[in-house]
Amino acid sequence: MDNWRERLHAALVAKGLNMKSASLSADLNAAAVQQIVKGKDPQASTLQKLASKHDLSLDEILLGRATSSAQPQPAEVRLARVAGTVAAGLWFSADAPPQVESEPVPYVPCRYPDLEQTAYKVSGPSMNRRRIEDGDFVITVPYWQARVGIQDADLVVVQRQRDGDLVELTVKEVVVRLTEIHLTPRSTDPQFQEPIVIPRDPNADGYDSVEIVGLVVGRYSPL
């Protein structure tokens, strides 16, 4: 178990709370704290609710840094820059990518605390079956710094190229098959059902036009 999860659990127990009561009193799903403690990566807003309701220091929980009672310091909020838009079917020139007018978004706790996080604004419903909605931000870390090989069921940001300088950035779910890898949308919209198919052999034709650039580690939904 990650150390910060143990610290969260211990801090709640020290306040006389079990996991269910801590969740419900913070207006969360009854199983929210249990899922976090067992390894689920929470949204930043979930941790903020727990910290606010139960008077916890996120600095102490996440980073293991004790906060002085005499001079309490606010927890450091790390921010992920918004690098662009992910949208199935939106092709743009590599020299003129769509501009996203957005402030940086909060980092999310994840299993890769030393990797830089990057956010992308979601446009469209191509991943709404995974609760990634139009207008949300997906938070990513560099895929090949987090993984040594492509893993089944990963949610990823994929970059495709065609016609020289046209680029598409999309979110997909990895489905690993015997000889192929399917990068699959998960949508209720019939328009977004076809996967991007690449060979498992990275030296095969067609592989070099598709690149997995980010591993999705969280989602941020603006209020």
Side-chain angles (χ1 to χ4, degrees):
M1 186 185 298
D2 297 340
N3 286 339
W4 73 265
R5 300 178 197 274
E6 295 175 353
R7 289 194 292 270
L8 173 63
H9 189 202
L12 294 172
V13 170
K15 292 179 178 291
L17 297 164
N18 61 36
M19 290 188 282
K20 182 176 180 180
S21 63
S23 301
L24 292 175
S25 59
D27 295 324
L28 300 170
N29 180 285
V33 171
Q34 182 182 45
Q35 291 170 345
I36 293 170
V37 170
K38 287 187 174 182
K40 180 178 179 180
D41 290 329
Q43 296 184 42
S45 59
T46 298
L47 290 181
Q48 289 164 356
K49 284 183 178 180
L50 287 169
S52 176
K53 179 63 180 179
H54 301 304
D55 193 26
L56 303 177
S57 164
L58 285 182
D59 202 34
E60 185 172 348
I61 296 297
L62 297 177
L63 303 176
R65 297 174 182 169
T67 302
S68 169
S69 58
Q71 295 182 330
Q73 299 294 322
E76 177 187 2
V77 177
R78 299 180 70 189
L79 298 175
R81 69 181 181 89
V82 179
T85 298
V86 284
L90 176 64
W91 292 86
F92 56 88
S93 171
D95 296 328
Q99 298 299 308
V100 179
E101 295 183 3
S102 175
E103 296 295 323
V105 303
Y107 264 46
V108 295
C110 72
R111 291 179 171 83
Y112 312 100
D114 296 329
L115 296 184
E116 181 180 4
Q117 294 187 12
T118 302
Y120 296 86
K121 188 172 184 179
V122 176
S123 177
S126 69
M127 290 297 290
N128 62 6
R129 286 189 182 275
R130 292 295 180 264
R131 299 180 65 188
I132 299 174
E133 306 288 352
D134 181 53
D136 286 350
F137 293 83
V138 290
I139 317 299
T140 71
V141 295
Y143 194 84
W144 297 108
Q145 293 182 37
R147 297 284 193 249
V148 295
I150 297 176
Q151 292 195 17
D152 190 62
D154 276 348
L155 296 182
V156 296
V157 170
V158 178
Q159 178 176 292
R160 286 199 293 174
Q161 291 184 299
R162 74 176 190 192
D163 301 335
D165 70 340
L166 291 181
V167 175
E168 177 198 48
L169 284 171
T170 65
V171 182
K172 295 290 187 283
E173 182 173 332
V174 174
V175 178
V176 177
R177 298 192 172 180
L178 185 62
T179 60
E180 298 173 331
I181 295 168
H182 288 207
L183 305 172
T184 306
R186 297 300 189 192
S187 178
T188 59
D189 189 329
Q191 181 180 353
F192 303 108
Q193 301 298 321
E194 291 298 318
I196 301 169
V197 180
I198 59 176
R200 290 191 67 172
D201 179 1
N203 297 313
D205 292 340
Y207 198 98
D208 57 358
S209 63
V210 178
E211 181 182 3
I212 298 175
V213 296
L215 173 66
V216 176
V217 294
R219 171 178 60 90
Y220 174 74
S221 297
L223 297 178

